[in-house]
Amino acid sequence: MSAPGTRPPAPLTGLRVLDLATLFAGPLCATMLGDFGAEVIKVEHPDRPDPCRGHGPAKDGVGLWWKVLGRNKRTLTLNLSRPGGRTTLLRLAATADVVVENFRPGTLEKWDLGWQELSAVNPRLILTRVTGFGQFGPYARRPGFGTLAEAMSGFAALTGEPDAPPTLPPFGLADSIAGLATAYAVMTALAARERTGEGQVVDMALIEPMLLALGPQPTWYDQLGYVQERTGNRSANNAPRNTYRTADGTWVAVSTSAQSIAERVMHLVGRPELIEEPWFATGADRARHADVLDRAVGDWIARHTRADVLAAFEKAEAAIAPIQDVREVMTDPQYAALDTITTVEDPELGPLRMQNVLFRLSATPGAVRWAGRPHGADTDEILGELGMTAAELADLRAEGAL
């Protein structure tokens, strides 16, 4: 065990990551690695920093989204299209384990910074390339954003009410899923490097993790010609499954994926006779009678306050959750017990609350060590660690490379 007051080394301590990416999947991958100890160096253009710094609300001119996405990263400015920027990146790459980038295919090659050049200075490097559509194929050179992945994957076609337009999420869903998938891809490539001693290229297309998250739809279509349609909050696999309004004007979500849970709910809402219906025996048959079940559950919930509904469902061991906005998330006792929302001391803004690391490790936990730092704050320090002198830095600045 560690001595009191000390923290054991995080599992990725000693791993060096160069984050060249912007908005949002690539940077999120690097954030995940940094959360568990990797040294992450965020490389941004001197005049055009990561647009995340300006996305969403700001406080005192400081973007708050960046404080989360840029956490556990040191920041460096570098213009990769200038000769000095190119040679400096190659010097950094020679010391790194992972490079994460999301330029359009061919951009790094245009600057003579493609896999051929990077692997020449560091054969063990993992070059991680995150784009909308992958490195090849008819769409490869198109601009790619998470919204397009949400549209093309089938997600939007499934989301919303049956008689309403397809619905896009009001947040970066595809980017978030791709960021998590890319972190997994990097760790897989690093595991392979342990066996082979050689690096390789990771090719991540935003459209693919989003499609995977939608489950077996391609197989359903391949084998049965089945195309899932929009069902709103209902499920084609079980019922009752919906959101319901309580007597005090709030909302709850009910799920009955297990047969025993569905039966408990019917007893709770005073409609046990429905359990005897032949169609109640399977989730798919219950889903075909969702109107009847929704009325039974919805009418009962509408007569009770949310607190009473939650208490009754918990006593009956039936599955329910309140529909919470961020205000309630911040005070939810389960999140508090898990320390899901943690506090970080920030030199610019003081105490900041944000999501903690994604999972807990019992022996080598991760941590949010600091929030996103100012643009280029660590440039001189990082390049000084490469042995670059003040005169060399001055020359690079004069060239416009820093």
Side-chain angles (χ1 to χ4, degrees):
M1 294 183 63
S2 302
T6 66
R7 179 183 290 272
L12 301 183
T13 297
L15 192 75
R16 176 172 263 205
V17 179
L18 305 184
D19 175 9
L20 314 185
T22 60
L23 292 180
F24 287 97
L28 179 59
C29 161
T31 302
M32 293 284 296
L33 301 175
D35 283 353
F36 286 89
E39 178 199 359
V40 180
I41 298 174
K42 175 71 175 183
V43 180
E44 298 173 89
H45 191 282
D47 303 318
R48 298 189 299 275
D50 189 331
C52 175
R53 292 181 180 272
H55 268 55
K59 180 181 179 183
D60 299 334
V62 178
L64 298 177
W65 200 332
W66 167 252
K67 286 296 179 183
V68 179
L69 193 63
R71 70 192 194 189
N72 293 334
K73 301 179 183 181
R74 294 198 290 167
T75 60
L76 164 75
T77 61
L78 208 57
N79 185 341
L80 303 182
S81 66
R82 300 294 174 88
R86 174 186 179 274
T87 57
T88 301
L89 183 72
L90 289 174
R91 290 180 66 174
L92 281 167
T95 72
D97 297 282
V98 179
V99 170
V100 182
E101 63 97 0
N102 69 339
F103 299 107
R104 286 198 208 183
T107 300
L108 282 184
E109 285 75 10
K110 178 180 65 176
W111 296 330
D112 293 327
L113 287 171
W115 174 241
Q116 181 176 348
E117 291 81 10
L118 291 170
S119 62
V121 300
N122 185 352
R124 291 174 54 81
L125 188 69
I126 307 299
L127 175 59
T128 306
R129 318 195 79 165
V130 186
T131 57
F133 306 105
Q135 294 295 309
F136 55 90
Y139 303 163
R141 296 189 65 83
R142 291 183 182 180
F145 298 100
T147 297
L148 308 186
E150 290 147 9
M152 286 183 59
S153 64
F155 171 84
L158 288 176
T159 307
E161 296 298 326
D163 55 353
T167 301
L168 295 167
F171 60 95
L173 177 62
D175 276 288
S176 298
I177 294 174
L180 298 175
T182 306
Y184 164 66
V186 168
M187 297 309 299
T188 302
L190 289 169
R193 190 181 73 174
E194 289 298 304
R195 295 197 310 273
T196 67
E198 296 180 353
Q200 60 182 299
V201 178
V202 172
D203 178 5
M204 177 64 69
L206 293 182
I207 57 175
E208 292 181 308
M210 192 72 238
L211 180 58
L212 179 65
L214 296 180
Q217 291 189 49
T219 305
W220 285 341
Y221 181 75
D222 173 66
Q223 295 295 304
L224 302 171
Y226 172 70
V227 179
Q228 186 175 347
E229 298 180 350
R230 288 193 294 284
T231 56
N233 291 323
R234 289 178 172 177
S235 168
N237 301 309
N238 67 82
R241 191 263 196 182
N242 214 323
T243 60
Y244 305 93
R245 191 178 178 92
T246 65
D248 50 352
T250 61
W251 293 84
V252 296
V254 172
S255 176
T256 57
S257 296
Q259 181 70 19
S260 59
I261 298 294
E263 293 175 5
R264 290 173 198 164
V265 170
M266 291 302 103
H267 282 291
L268 172 61
V269 302
R271 298 295 304 275
E273 75 280 3
L274 293 176
I275 300 173
E276 304 305 318
E277 295 286 348
W279 49 260
F280 198 88
T282 70
D285 282 340
R286 292 200 310 274
R288 285 188 276 272
H289 294 79
D291 286 343
V292 173
L293 296 172
D294 275 346
R295 280 195 299 272
V297 176
D299 288 350
W300 184 88
I301 288 177
R303 299 193 301 270
H304 299 81
T305 66
R306 187 174 80 170
D308 289 343
V309 170
L310 295 175
F313 268 72
E314 183 173 356
K315 183 177 180 180
E317 298 184 359
I320 193 170
I323 304 291
Q324 298 188 151
D325 63 19
V326 69
R327 291 169 293 188
E328 292 180 294
V329 168
M330 299 294 274
T331 58
D332 184 281
Q334 182 61 35
Y335 284 131
L338 296 174
D339 194 28
T340 304
I341 307 296
T342 195
T343 300
V344 184
E345 289 294 332
D346 181 66
E348 291 184 286
L349 299 177
L352 285 176
R353 299 182 72 196
M354 65 177 65
Q355 299 97 320
N356 207 339
V357 300
L358 188 59
F359 49 87
R360 288 159 293 281
L361 296 179
S362 61
T364 56
V368 182
R369 291 161 286 155
W370 63 82
R373 289 177 51 70
H375 180 222
D378 306 295
T379 298
D380 287 8
E381 178 183 71
I382 293 168
L383 299 184
E385 292 168 359
L386 289 178
M388 299 180 73
T389 66
E392 288 177 294
L393 297 182
D395 289 341
L396 288 172
R397 286 193 167 92
E399 182 194 345
L402 296 186

